[in-house]
Amino acid sequence: MPLYLASLNSGSNGNCYYIGNGQEAVFIDAGISCRETERRMIRLGLPMRGVKAIFITHEHTDHTRGAEVLSRKHGNSRYITNATYRNSRMNLHPPMMNPFTAGISVKLAGSA
């Protein structure tokens, strides 16, 4: 199964990267709005339903701006270090938040 890598946006106005195989995927950062993320996914022919998680690299809004709405609307789990969450302005719903430690492998919620 091929692996797809796509930059939905990169820069100070927002960062969001898609990594997936067409059936399951993750976002690295969600720095653009939910609506704009959805538009870009459609334009690239990538399914939103396959995005299982959003990994937040750090607390700057150009990496976090769309995470709350994306997660709420699409049910994506968020993976974020405790320090990044404490330093962000995000208000994440706890059941969808998965703290992790940098450098330690994680298993996505719901994965076999």
Side-chain angles (χ1 to χ4, degrees), residues 1-7 17-26 44-47:
M1 186 172 300
L3 182 66
Y4 300 95
L5 304 170
S7 173
Y17 305 93
Y18 169 96
I19 302 172
N21 62 15
Q23 294 179 10
E24 293 187 316
V26 297
L44 292 171
L46 299 170

Side-chain angles (χ1 to χ4, degrees), residues 1-2 5 12 30 57 65 69-70 74-75 77 79 81 86 102 105 107:
M1 186 172 300
L5 304 170
S12 60
T57 61
R65 186 175 296 115
V69 175
L70 272 168
H74 295 284
S77 294
Y79 289 80
T81 66
R86 274 193 313 274
S105 297
K107 184 174 182 177

Side-chain angles (χ1 to χ4, degrees), residues 6 16 20 24-25 29 47 51 53 55-56 61 64 67 69 88 92 96 103 108:
C16 185
E24 293 187 316
D29 292 327
V51 179
F55 284 84
I56 303 297
T61 57
T64 64
V69 175
S88 74
L92 302 177
M96 297 302 290
L108 294 182

Side-chain angles (χ1 to χ4, degrees), residues 2-64:
L3 182 66
Y4 300 95
L5 304 170
S7 173
L8 301 182
N9 204 71
S10 178
S12 60
N13 65 337
N15 294 276
C16 185
Y17 305 93
Y18 169 96
I19 302 172
N21 62 15
Q23 294 179 10
E24 293 187 316
V26 297
F27 284 139
I28 306 300
D29 292 327
I32 54 178
S33 72
C34 179
R35 181 175 294 150
E36 190 58 33
T37 299
E38 291 167 340
R39 284 183 191 143
R40 292 173 189 214
M41 291 287 287
I42 289 167
R43 193 175 337 148
L44 292 171
L46 299 170
M48 279 297 299
R49 73 183 174 287
V51 179
K52 306 295 184 201
I54 302 167
F55 284 84
I56 303 297
T57 61
H58 63 283
E59 63 273 8
H60 294 157
T61 57
D62 61 322
H63 296 263
T64 64

Side-chain angles (χ1 to χ4, degrees), residues 81-96:
T81 66
N82 286 322
T84 296
Y85 183 65
R86 274 193 313 274
N87 292 311
S88 74
R89 294 183 183 161
M90 296 192 321
N91 183 19
L92 302 177
H93 186 58
M96 297 302 290

